[in-house]
Structure formats: C-alpha cells, structure tokens
Amino acid sequence: MTTRSVTDRLGGLAFGGDYNPEQWDEPVWKEDDDLMRRARVNLATVGVFSWALLEPEEGRYDFAWLDAHLERLHANGVAVDLATPTASPPPWFTSAHPDALPVTPDGTRLTHGSRDTYCLAAPAYRDAARRIASALAERYGDHPAVALWHVHNEYVTLCWCDHTAAAFRRWLRRRHGSLDVLNEAWGTAFWSQRYTSWEQILPPRATQWHKNPGQALDFRRFWSDEVLAAYREQRDAIRAHSDRPVTTNLMLPAYQNLDLWALGREVDLVAVDHYPTAPGRDAAADTAFAADRARSLGGGRPWLLMEQGTNTVYDTDRVLGKEPGDILRHTLGHIARGSEGALFFQWRQSRAGAETWHSAMVPHAGPDSRVFHEVTAAGEAVARLRELAGSTVTAAVAVLHDSDAWWALEVDGLPSSELGCHAELRRAHRALWDAGVTVDFAHPEHELGAYRLVVAPALFLLSDAGAENLRRYVAGGGTLLVHHAAGYVDDRLHARLGGYPAAPLREALGVRVEEHRVVRRDERIVLSDGTHGVAWSESLRTEGAETLAVYTRGMLAGGPALTRHRFGDGRGWYLSTRLEDADYGALVVRLLTEAGVGRDVPGLPAGVEAVTRHASDGRRWHVLINHRDDTVPLPVPAHDLLADATAHTLPPGGCAVLRMP
Ligand code: GLA
C-alpha cells in the first residue's frame, strides 16, 4: 500500500501542472527544464493524453520517449504525477472497436476525433484501459520520479449504448433483486410502464414526454458505480506494481456524474480541477466552494488542486481571463482550504491542436510575459509554504450535500424548474463565506455532532436514515437550517405522505408542510419581517415551532414562512421560501450568532478571506487574502511566510500566510 505522501516525497507543497512534452521538441524541452526551475515547479502531470504514443498499435508499447522525459524531469528535480491515458483512446482503438464508442440519449453514436470518446461499460474499452494502466505501472511503478498516479482524466462522460443497457440491467438486478421490486420502486403502475422482463429495460434514452424518474435516478447511481468500478480496476492494476498513492482528478464543482463521496473513499488523495467562471470576489467564493468540497470529500484529509488556469479558457463565456494577482490569490485560496499545492493545466500553451487557446503557465508569448512572471511568483510563494504540508482545516459549520439529492432535482416532472441543487449549495456556501466562516460539506447520513451549525439547502430527496440522522443531530444540541422543498421524496423518489418533510425531520423542525406554491418569475414575496422571497412558497403548519416571519399576501397570508423549533438540546429552523441573497445572508449571520460561531480569524473585516491550517503538533497558520480595495490592519502582527517578515497590514488584493504563535 501507499508508503509516503506526495508532499513527503516533494519535501513541501506541490507546484506545477500538466506537462505534455510530446507536443514539442528538444530545444523546447531544454527551455522547459530551465523555466521549470525558475518557476519552482516540483510536480508535473505527464501522459494524460498520450495513449496513441504509448501504444501506437494494439499491444505494442513504446515507452522509450516517456523513459527519457521521466529521466529528464527527475534529473531536474521535478517529480511526476504519472497519468494513465485512458480518457483519450487513439483512433486505432475505436476503429477496431466501434462498439466502444459512446452513444447519446437520442441514439447518435459519436466518433473519434476529440477526446473522451469511449463507453466506460464497453468490455473492449475496459480491457484496453486496464492493460495500458498495468503496462505503465509495471514499467514505472518504482521509478524514482513517480510521486503519484493519476488515473484517467475527469470521469465525466456518460453513455446510453447497448453495453450500457446490459450493464444497467445487471446493476438493477443486484439492486432490486426482482422485477416486482423494481416496478414498485419506479412507480411503473402509472403510464403503463410495467416491465415483465429484464430485457425490456433500457437506459433512459430519448423518449416521449417525461422519462420515468426512478429509472433516471437509478441510471445516475448505476453510472457512478460503473465509473468507480472502472477506476478501481486501473487503481488495483497500478497497486500491483507500485506503492505510490493513486488518484483521479474530479471536475468540480458543477459536474455531478459521480457519487463524489464514494469516490472520495476510493482515492488515496482527493484531486480536483477548478476553473472559476466569474471574476473578482465571485471567483474567490467559487474557489472556496470547490476547495471546501474537495477537502470534505476526503473526510478532511489533505487533497490536491490538480488543475487550474492561469488565464482564459478558450471560451470566455465560461472562464474569464484572470486579473493580475489572481494566479497567486486563487492558488492560495485552494491551499488555505487544505490543498497540498497548486497545479495548472497546462505547463506550456499548445501551439496547435484542440486547446491552442487555453491559457498555460508558459503562454504563447513565452517567459517574458505577465503570466509567466506571475507563475514564477506563485511558485516562489508556494515554495515558502513548505511547513504547511500535511496540515489540515477544521470547520464548525457544514452544508449538506448528497449526490442522490442532486440527481433527484435533475429528473423530469419536478414541481418547479427553479429547484436545483448546485445553485442552492452555492448560495448557502456563499453566505457563510461572506460571513468569514469556513465550511465543510457533509452527507445527510454522516455523523454531524462536531458541527455547531448545519445547513441543508437542497434536500428534496432525503432518505429515512438521513431524516433520522438530522433529527438526532438537533436533539443532541445542533442548530439546523433546512431550506424549502426538503424531504419531499424518499430515496426511491416516492413522495412523503401525510405532509413534508420526512417524519423524523418534521419532528425536529416542529412543522408540517401541506402544500407548495410556485412563485411566478416576475413575483416577489414579502414576509412580515421585511425580507423578500422568490421562486417558491409553502403552506405549512407549526407543530411546536415558533413562527419568526409570516407570508403577507395571497392565500398564504398570515401563514408561517420562517420557523424555529427548540427540540431536545438544539434548534431546528425551517425556511419555506428562497430568500433574496441579502436577506438570506442576514439570516445566516443570525444563525451563526445563535449557534455561537464567529469568524474563523476574529478582528478582520468582511472581504478578507481568512482560513486556519492546523498541524497535528499544534502549529497553525492563518492564510489571508484581501479581496477589498483598501489596506487592512492585521489584528495580531505575525510572521508572514510569503514575505519572510512580520506583517502588520494587508494591501488591497494582497495575501499573507501568518505563522501563529
Ligand atoms: C479539463 C481537462 C484539461 C483541460 C481543461 C481545460 O480540466 O482535464 O485537459 O482540457 O479542462 O480547462
């Protein structure tokens, strides 16, 4: 099994990125060596898309070129995160195995010519992937340059082909045991959908009107398990030859094709890619969201930012160009929240091919450029943070996140198209981020007792076990805030009967929701405390809870909108509408006060991000990022590792990492 952590091998935090030397030649490689030293690069991800070079034809390997690059990198003090190239099968593979090409829900079979064109459930693909992973591990398992294994790249592709259908049926048999149980779970009694043979069941392909929601949810679960199985096959093939840690890079935060909690348990180190899609403070908040999630997926273990951009990502609607200073700020935003370094996609900007216009550490303009200067400054900064390696981050607040609940809000026929998981999670996290509080994500069935406050923003689906766990959490002294439309369905997407949410949670919240009323897009609800809601409202009855605000208009007038229930030793709050951002932010501050949670680093004004990393021996560091336009005095002057001097103030846009006494 794994012997040493990545940072242990590197002797500090990781800095570097995807390195694709096969796009270049000898003089450029020489320059790469020099520039990597200048930028303090100590980890390069190699081979992510190199399948066609490594295995030019089925079963014939060519490792000579990779041997040479690994030797060169090693000699230059750069360790390697060695990837298996399975996200990009070469043309020979798809020509030989056309059945392994992915099929979209409407039946279109894709062709090669891009990347990610494979069906994970196709036996030929799985065999080929395992073989190349095994061959690489056999050759490089003990290579002194290799510090980490990088299986595949961003498992995000889905498929609806016949291989998928066969695998889906096998999965369904295991899950449901019998067709009767499946029919019951999927509610096939309605719309004449009853199955009388397993062979009749298909993945949720294009069809008329709503797809069956149970089928859609089970398909997401099945696919996630299929991905995990594919990951495990490669991981285990590697472990047979290597004692280095193994991971795969997740695309966070908006992709949700996997049960991220399950994946977090399978990897030796959680690794994520992150490309914020908004400028300024919004990018910093998005960074914090992704980073807190990455840390949480590994149960608080150190994790690694595997990819970020230095600047624009070809499509400016998606990822804006970074402002001067963002490279360091975003790098530290991740490290503050537990990342063991910061890597980029990619080292040198391609001069041809699919990602020519994707920014890189060495841009087309070359090293004499703003971007490369900022990259070297960030590399120098990360090198100064050596002592943070292995330290962790703790949080007093958790936001609940469940893949099932996410997928439940993506099926057809929901009560409102305004319901959705990602945006609600973001809003909750953002309000807490604005309040200067570090947040963990947790699953509704996790042990929550260590948190002073738990926020449940989007638990439309809530299992019986989850509802009971939340009841227990409040009874035990926790403060819980549950947002609208919670616990409406169980884990089969069956509606909760007798009033929402699920019974044990109703007990903790002291409310019973009888009816929901969707709010028109042009309408704004006014509550009695002067706050405003949008999108959703509910008719509810208190059953023990006190009413803190009521609806003021229409048929809900006078009915409770915001409630609080003293239950056991804790309090359960229920918010039955979507408050506007400023009002929601104020509510979150009120809850933090009630739960006794202060800013992570007291004495700093809003707009200064501050997170503490703790070492197991009691040492701790405050990582500070000033998102404000003014200079901020520090409450306690301390030694700043970045400047190697005592810091008294933080300039606009400035960063500091304070070693605390
Ligand atoms: C992903 C991939 C990279 C690159 C980036 C572009 O994260 O892993 O190969 O394509 O997207 O932002």
Side-chain angles (χ1 to χ4, degrees):
M1 268 295 294
T2 52
T3 47
R4 292 167 69 200
S5 71
V6 179
T7 47
D8 203 12
R9 280 182 191 276
L10 301 181
L13 301 184
F15 189 75
D18 276 46
Y19 183 42
N20 301 299
E22 60 268 42
Q23 302 177 93
W24 303 98
D25 49 17
E26 185 87 39
V28 176
W29 299 332
K30 287 223 165 74
E31 193 193 39
D32 286 340
D33 289 343
D34 171 44
L35 297 181
M36 283 189 184
R37 280 195 303 275
R38 274 167 61 187
R40 311 287 298 252
V41 166
N42 61 5
L43 187 64
T45 302
V46 178
V48 176
F49 301 118
S50 308
W51 199 340
L53 277 189
L54 289 168
E55 191 179 1
E57 60 189 71
E58 185 147 12
R60 181 170 71 77
Y61 299 109
D62 177 4
F63 292 125
W65 67 276
L66 187 55
D67 291 351
H69 288 304
L70 261 51
E71 289 311 321
R72 180 171 58 81
L73 288 163
H74 186 54
N76 199 34
V78 178
V80 169
D81 164 36
L82 190 55
T84 66
T86 52
S88 215
W92 64 252
F93 173 80
T94 50
S95 302
H97 305 283
D99 63 301
L101 284 162
V103 173
T104 59
D106 66 359
T108 306
R109 191 176 284 281
L110 303 180
T111 61
H112 64 243
S114 180
R115 62 176 178 189
D116 289 296
T117 35
Y118 52 83
C119 168
L120 264 183
Y125 170 78
R126 287 278 275 278
D127 289 348
R130 207 175 25 231
R131 275 199 312 269
I132 184 83
S134 193
L136 279 165
E138 206 173 324
R139 188 164 188 99
Y140 301 110
D142 287 331
H143 195 290
V146 175
L148 178 65
W149 286 95
H150 179 297
V151 169
H152 201 82
N153 188 62
E154 296 181 341
Y155 279 107
V156 291
T157 313
L158 278 83
C159 178
W160 286 260
C161 75
D162 290 344
H163 290 304
T164 300
F168 186 37
R169 289 181 200 119
R170 286 193 295 274
W171 184 92
L172 289 168
R173 274 175 189 265
R174 280 197 303 275
R175 181 175 180 90
H176 296 288
S178 76
L179 278 176
D180 284 346
V181 175
L182 176 141
N183 279 309
E184 165 68 15
W186 290 6
T188 59
F190 198 44
W191 280 11
S192 188
Q193 291 178 348
R194 189 175 169 74
Y195 293 100
T196 52
S197 124
W198 293 99
E199 292 311 305
Q200 295 161 355
I201 301 175
L202 299 170
R205 295 176 179 160
T207 184
Q208 195 66 268
W209 208 239
H210 297 168
K211 292 177 187 170
N212 179 290
Q215 179 189 11
L217 175 60
D218 269 354
F219 183 71
R220 306 303 295 266
R221 291 168 167 152
F222 146 73
W223 192 259
S224 178
D225 283 354
E226 195 67 25
V227 171
L228 286 185
Y231 168 76
R232 273 196 297 264
E233 281 168 17
Q234 289 203 39
R235 180 199 62 194
D236 295 348
I238 292 167
R239 280 189 182 162
H241 303 284
S242 186
D243 65 357
R244 315 295 147 86
V246 186
T247 190
T248 183
N249 52 333
L250 297 169
M251 185 54 151
L252 291 186
Y255 279 96
Q256 183 70 44
N257 291 342
L258 290 174
D259 176 349
L260 297 171
W261 295 111
L263 192 98
R265 291 188 289 271
E266 300 287 346
V267 292
D268 294 323
L269 169 85
V270 170
V272 306
D273 302 344
H274 183 246
Y275 297 90
T277 52
R281 244 188 237 201
D282 292 339
D286 194 66
T287 297
F289 179 84
D292 284 339
R293 239 171 100 183
R295 182 185 66 252
S296 304
L297 294 175
R301 284 178 284 151
W303 58 278
L304 184 61
L305 174 69
M306 190 61 92
E307 289 180 23
Q308 63 174 336
T310 58
N311 208 359
T312 321
V313 174
Y314 35 81
D315 171 358
T316 46
D317 285 343
R318 195 160 69 86
V319 182
L320 301 164
K322 295 204 177 182
E323 295 301 316
D326 277 351
I327 291 177
L328 179 62
R329 282 189 290 272
H330 294 179
T331 291
L332 289 177
H334 287 286
I335 290 175
R337 292 167 195 277
S339 178
E340 291 288 68
L343 275 60
F344 295 80
F345 178 85
Q346 58 178 328
W347 164 250
R348 190 180 274 277
Q349 187 169 10
S350 300
R351 72 181 145 188
E355 298 199 87
T356 305
W357 304 107
H358 191 297
S359 59
M361 299 168 81
V362 183
H364 287 158
D368 183 11
S369 58
R370 174 185 73 83
V371 166
F372 188 68
H373 292 151
E374 288 200 28
V375 164
T376 51
E380 179 58 36
V382 172
R384 288 167 182 244
L385 303 183
R386 191 171 299 118
E387 65 193 59
L388 269 68
S391 60
T392 55
V393 173
T394 55
V397 179
V399 170
L400 298 183
H401 166 57
D402 172 17
S403 311
D404 276 356
W406 183 302
W407 294 326
L409 290 175
E410 290 183 341
V411 304
D412 293 339
L414 291 171
S416 162
S417 58
E418 290 285 309
L419 295 176
C421 200
H422 183 58
E424 285 299 307
L425 291 177
R426 284 293 315 273
R427 265 163 43 80
H429 185 274
R430 177 63 188 258
L432 291 157
W433 185 81
D434 282 336
V437 169
T438 303
V439 175
D440 276 350
F441 288 88
H443 188 277
E445 294 175 28
H446 282 170
E447 171 53 50
L448 301 170
Y451 298 110
R452 312 280 286 267
L453 172 65
V454 170
V455 182
L459 288 187
F460 180 66
L461 175 153
L462 182 60
S463 66
D464 293 347
E468 175 52 31
N469 193 43
L470 296 183
R471 192 195 69 83
R472 207 177 316 123
Y473 168 71
V474 179
T479 300
L480 173 69
L481 170 65
V482 177
H483 288 203
H484 63 280
Y488 272 45
V489 298
D490 66 13
D491 55 8
R492 298 185 304 172
L493 290 177
H494 287 205
R496 298 284 183 184
L497 304 182
Y500 320 115
L505 184 55
R506 258 174 25 215
E507 208 187 314
L509 299 176
V511 299
R512 174 173 174 272
V513 178
E514 192 177 318
E515 191 180 330
H516 73 272
R517 293 186 79 76
V518 172
V519 177
R520 285 200 326 265
R521 286 229 166 82
D522 57 356
E523 207 187 324
R524 218 171 155 223
I525 304 173
V526 185
L527 303 186
S528 57
D529 60 358
T531 61
H532 294 90
V534 292
W536 185 270
S537 61
E538 286 171 346
S539 162
L540 55 122
R541 227 188 270 167
T542 54
E543 294 182 341
E546 57 181 311
T547 299
L548 302 175
V550 297
Y551 291 98
T552 58
R553 288 188 206 143
M555 74 162 244
L556 297 182
L562 173 68
T563 61
R564 176 176 57 191
H565 188 217
R566 283 166 209 275
F567 177 71
D569 296 330
R571 283 166 191 196
W573 291 63
Y574 188 65
L575 172 61
S576 64
T577 181
R578 180 188 294 162
L579 284 186
E580 288 184 344
D581 287 349
D583 294 333
Y584 179 69
L587 174 65
V588 162
V589 168
R590 182 172 168 191
L591 273 146
L592 287 166
T593 309
E594 186 173 303
V597 181
R599 300 183 81 81
D600 276 18
V601 178
L604 286 168
V608 179
E609 188 169 356
V611 186
T612 308
R613 281 186 68 146
H614 300 265
S616 51
D617 60 10
R619 286 172 306 147
R620 63 197 179 103
W621 302 265
H622 291 331
V623 182
L624 309 182
I625 308 169
N626 184 4
H627 302 297
R628 297 165 61 96
D629 297 329
D630 55 353
T631 295
V632 171
L634 298 180
V636 185
H639 183 78
D640 174 15
L641 301 183
L642 300 179
D644 195 20
T646 303
H648 298 270
T649 59
L650 205 54
C655 307
V657 180
L658 305 181
R659 185 193 285 140
M660 300 313 289

Short mmCIF file of all heavy atoms in Angstrom, two decimals, residues 490-517:
data_model
loop_
_atom_site.label_atom_id
_atom_site.label_comp_id
_atom_site.label_asym_id
_atom_site.label_seq_id
_atom_site.Cartn_x
_atom_site.Cartn_y
_atom_site.Cartn_z
N ASP A 490 -38.49 10.23 -0.81
CA ASP A 490 -37.51 9.32 -0.20
C ASP A 490 -36.49 8.91 -1.26
O ASP A 490 -36.47 9.47 -2.36
CB ASP A 490 -38.22 8.11 0.43
CG ASP A 490 -38.90 7.21 -0.60
OD1 ASP A 490 -38.63 7.37 -1.82
OD2 ASP A 490 -39.70 6.36 -0.20
N ASP A 491 -35.65 7.94 -0.93
CA ASP A 491 -34.56 7.64 -1.85
C ASP A 491 -35.00 6.81 -3.07
O ASP A 491 -34.18 6.44 -3.90
CB ASP A 491 -33.37 6.99 -1.14
CG ASP A 491 -33.78 5.77 -0.37
OD1 ASP A 491 -34.94 5.32 -0.50
OD2 ASP A 491 -32.93 5.24 0.38
N ARG A 492 -36.33 6.56 -3.19
CA ARG A 492 -36.84 5.99 -4.44
C ARG A 492 -37.61 7.06 -5.22
O ARG A 492 -38.33 6.76 -6.16
CB ARG A 492 -37.77 4.81 -4.15
CG ARG A 492 -37.06 3.65 -3.43
CD ARG A 492 -37.97 2.47 -3.26
NE ARG A 492 -39.21 2.84 -2.55
CZ ARG A 492 -40.26 2.04 -2.41
NH1 ARG A 492 -40.23 0.81 -2.90
NH2 ARG A 492 -41.33 2.44 -1.77
N LEU A 493 -37.55 8.28 -4.74
CA LEU A 493 -38.30 9.40 -5.32
C LEU A 493 -39.80 9.26 -5.08
O LEU A 493 -40.60 9.84 -5.81
CB LEU A 493 -38.02 9.57 -6.83
CG LEU A 493 -36.63 10.06 -7.20
CD1 LEU A 493 -36.47 10.10 -8.73
CD2 LEU A 493 -36.36 11.44 -6.64
N HIS A 494 -40.17 8.48 -4.09
CA HIS A 494 -41.58 8.38 -3.72
C HIS A 494 -41.91 9.55 -2.81
O HIS A 494 -41.17 9.82 -1.85
CB HIS A 494 -41.87 7.07 -2.98
CG HIS A 494 -41.85 5.88 -3.88
ND1 HIS A 494 -42.53 4.72 -3.60
CD2 HIS A 494 -41.24 5.66 -5.06
CE1 HIS A 494 -42.34 3.83 -4.57
NE2 HIS A 494 -41.54 4.38 -5.47
N ALA A 495 -43.04 10.19 -3.08
CA ALA A 495 -43.44 11.34 -2.28
C ALA A 495 -43.70 10.91 -0.83
O ALA A 495 -44.22 9.82 -0.57
CB ALA A 495 -44.70 11.96 -2.86
N ARG A 496 -43.32 11.77 0.09
CA ARG A 496 -43.62 11.54 1.51
C ARG A 496 -45.11 11.84 1.73
O ARG A 496 -45.57 12.92 1.35
CB ARG A 496 -42.79 12.48 2.38
CG ARG A 496 -41.28 12.27 2.26
CD ARG A 496 -40.86 11.03 3.02
NE ARG A 496 -39.41 10.85 2.97
CZ ARG A 496 -38.81 9.79 3.49
NH1 ARG A 496 -39.51 8.82 4.06
NH2 ARG A 496 -37.50 9.66 3.42
N LEU A 497 -45.80 10.91 2.31
CA LEU A 497 -47.24 11.08 2.50
C LEU A 497 -47.55 11.62 3.90
O LEU A 497 -46.79 11.39 4.83
CB LEU A 497 -47.94 9.73 2.29
CG LEU A 497 -47.67 9.08 0.92
CD1 LEU A 497 -48.44 7.76 0.79
CD2 LEU A 497 -48.02 10.02 -0.22
N GLY A 498 -48.61 12.38 3.99
CA GLY A 498 -49.03 12.89 5.30
C GLY A 498 -48.40 14.22 5.65
O GLY A 498 -48.55 14.70 6.77
N GLY A 499 -47.73 14.84 4.70
CA GLY A 499 -47.06 16.13 4.96
C GLY A 499 -45.56 15.98 4.81
O GLY A 499 -45.01 14.93 5.13
N TYR A 500 -44.94 17.06 4.31
CA TYR A 500 -43.47 17.06 4.15
C TYR A 500 -42.88 17.77 5.36
O TYR A 500 -43.58 18.51 6.03
CB TYR A 500 -43.06 17.80 2.89
CG TYR A 500 -43.92 17.57 1.68
CD1 TYR A 500 -44.67 18.61 1.14
CD2 TYR A 500 -44.00 16.32 1.09
CE1 TYR A 500 -45.46 18.42 0.02
CE2 TYR A 500 -44.80 16.12 -0.04
CZ TYR A 500 -45.53 17.17 -0.57
OH TYR A 500 -46.31 16.99 -1.68
N PRO A 501 -41.59 17.69 5.61
CA PRO A 501 -40.65 16.70 5.06
C PRO A 501 -40.82 15.35 5.74
O PRO A 501 -41.80 15.15 6.47
CB PRO A 501 -39.30 17.33 5.39
CG PRO A 501 -39.52 18.21 6.57
CD PRO A 501 -40.96 18.63 6.54
N ALA A 502 -39.87 14.47 5.53
CA ALA A 502 -39.92 13.14 6.12
C ALA A 502 -40.16 13.24 7.64
O ALA A 502 -39.63 14.14 8.29
CB ALA A 502 -38.60 12.43 5.85
N ALA A 503 -40.96 12.31 8.18
CA ALA A 503 -41.46 12.42 9.56
C ALA A 503 -40.41 12.76 10.62
O ALA A 503 -40.63 13.71 11.39
CB ALA A 503 -42.21 11.15 9.91
N PRO A 504 -39.28 12.08 10.69
CA PRO A 504 -38.36 12.41 11.80
C PRO A 504 -37.87 13.86 11.71
O PRO A 504 -37.66 14.51 12.72
CB PRO A 504 -37.19 11.44 11.62
CG PRO A 504 -37.61 10.43 10.64
CD PRO A 504 -38.75 11.00 9.86
N LEU A 505 -37.73 14.35 10.50
CA LEU A 505 -37.26 15.73 10.34
C LEU A 505 -38.37 16.70 10.73
O LEU A 505 -38.13 17.75 11.33
CB LEU A 505 -36.79 15.96 8.89
CG LEU A 505 -36.18 17.32 8.60
CD1 LEU A 505 -35.00 17.63 9.53
CD2 LEU A 505 -35.71 17.38 7.14
N ARG A 506 -39.61 16.33 10.40
CA ARG A 506 -40.75 17.16 10.81
C ARG A 506 -40.76 17.35 12.32
O ARG A 506 -41.04 18.43 12.83
CB ARG A 506 -42.05 16.48 10.39
CG ARG A 506 -42.61 17.10 9.16
CD ARG A 506 -43.80 16.44 8.56
NE ARG A 506 -44.67 15.65 9.38
CZ ARG A 506 -45.28 14.56 8.93
NH1 ARG A 506 -45.09 14.15 7.68
NH2 ARG A 506 -46.08 13.88 9.70
N GLU A 507 -40.43 16.29 12.99
CA GLU A 507 -40.39 16.33 14.45
C GLU A 507 -39.34 17.34 14.93
O GLU A 507 -39.59 18.15 15.82
CB GLU A 507 -40.04 14.92 14.94
CG GLU A 507 -40.57 14.56 16.30
CD GLU A 507 -39.99 13.22 16.73
OE1 GLU A 507 -39.98 12.27 15.91
OE2 GLU A 507 -39.53 13.14 17.88
N ALA A 508 -38.17 17.28 14.31
CA ALA A 508 -37.09 18.19 14.73
C ALA A 508 -37.41 19.63 14.38
O ALA A 508 -37.02 20.55 15.10
CB ALA A 508 -35.78 17.76 14.07
N LEU A 509 -38.11 19.84 13.28
CA LEU A 509 -38.40 21.21 12.84
C LEU A 509 -39.69 21.74 13.44
O LEU A 509 -39.95 22.95 13.42
CB LEU A 509 -38.48 21.27 11.31
CG LEU A 509 -37.22 20.85 10.55
CD1 LEU A 509 -37.49 20.85 9.05
CD2 LEU A 509 -36.06 21.78 10.87
N GLY A 510 -40.52 20.83 13.93
CA GLY A 510 -41.80 21.26 14.50
C GLY A 510 -42.72 21.90 13.48
O GLY A 510 -43.49 22.81 13.81
N VAL A 511 -42.65 21.43 12.24
CA VAL A 511 -43.55 21.95 11.20
C VAL A 511 -44.06 20.80 10.33
O VAL A 511 -43.45 19.72 10.28
CB VAL A 511 -42.86 22.97 10.25
CG1 VAL A 511 -42.38 24.19 11.02
CG2 VAL A 511 -41.72 22.33 9.48
N ARG A 512 -45.16 21.08 9.66
CA ARG A 512 -45.68 20.13 8.68
C ARG A 512 -46.08 20.92 7.45
O ARG A 512 -46.93 21.81 7.53
CB ARG A 512 -46.89 19.41 9.27
CG ARG A 512 -47.61 18.50 8.32
CD ARG A 512 -48.67 17.72 9.08
NE ARG A 512 -49.49 16.92 8.19
CZ ARG A 512 -50.61 17.37 7.59
NH1 ARG A 512 -51.01 18.61 7.79
NH2 ARG A 512 -51.30 16.59 6.80
N VAL A 513 -45.42 20.62 6.34
CA VAL A 513 -45.69 21.33 5.10
C VAL A 513 -46.82 20.61 4.37
O VAL A 513 -46.75 19.40 4.15
CB VAL A 513 -44.44 21.40 4.20
CG1 VAL A 513 -44.76 22.11 2.89
CG2 VAL A 513 -43.30 22.10 4.92
N GLU A 514 -47.83 21.39 4.01
CA GLU A 514 -49.00 20.77 3.43
C GLU A 514 -49.04 20.92 1.92
O GLU A 514 -49.51 20.06 1.20
CB GLU A 514 -50.22 21.43 4.06
CG GLU A 514 -51.50 20.74 3.79
CD GLU A 514 -52.65 21.43 4.52
OE1 GLU A 514 -52.47 21.83 5.69
OE2 GLU A 514 -53.71 21.60 3.89
N GLU A 515 -48.51 22.04 1.45
CA GLU A 515 -48.72 22.38 0.04
C GLU A 515 -47.60 23.33 -0.40
O GLU A 515 -47.21 24.20 0.37
CB GLU A 515 -50.07 23.11 -0.04
CG GLU A 515 -50.61 23.33 -1.38
CD GLU A 515 -51.97 24.06 -1.31
OE1 GLU A 515 -52.73 23.92 -0.34
OE2 GLU A 515 -52.23 24.79 -2.26
N HIS A 516 -47.14 23.17 -1.65
CA HIS A 516 -46.18 24.17 -2.14
C HIS A 516 -46.86 25.04 -3.18
O HIS A 516 -47.80 24.60 -3.86
CB HIS A 516 -44.95 23.50 -2.74
CG HIS A 516 -45.22 22.86 -4.08
ND1 HIS A 516 -45.68 21.58 -4.19
CD2 HIS A 516 -45.13 23.35 -5.34
CE1 HIS A 516 -45.85 21.30 -5.47
NE2 HIS A 516 -45.52 22.34 -6.20
N ARG A 517 -46.41 26.25 -3.30
CA ARG A 517 -46.92 27.16 -4.33
C ARG A 517 -45.73 27.80 -5.03
O ARG A 517 -44.94 28.50 -4.41
CB ARG A 517 -47.80 28.24 -3.72
CG ARG A 517 -49.07 27.66 -3.15
CD ARG A 517 -50.01 28.73 -2.68
NE ARG A 517 -50.75 29.36 -3.77
CZ ARG A 517 -51.78 28.80 -4.40
NH1 ARG A 517 -52.16 27.58 -4.12
NH2 ARG A 517 -52.43 29.46 -5.33
#
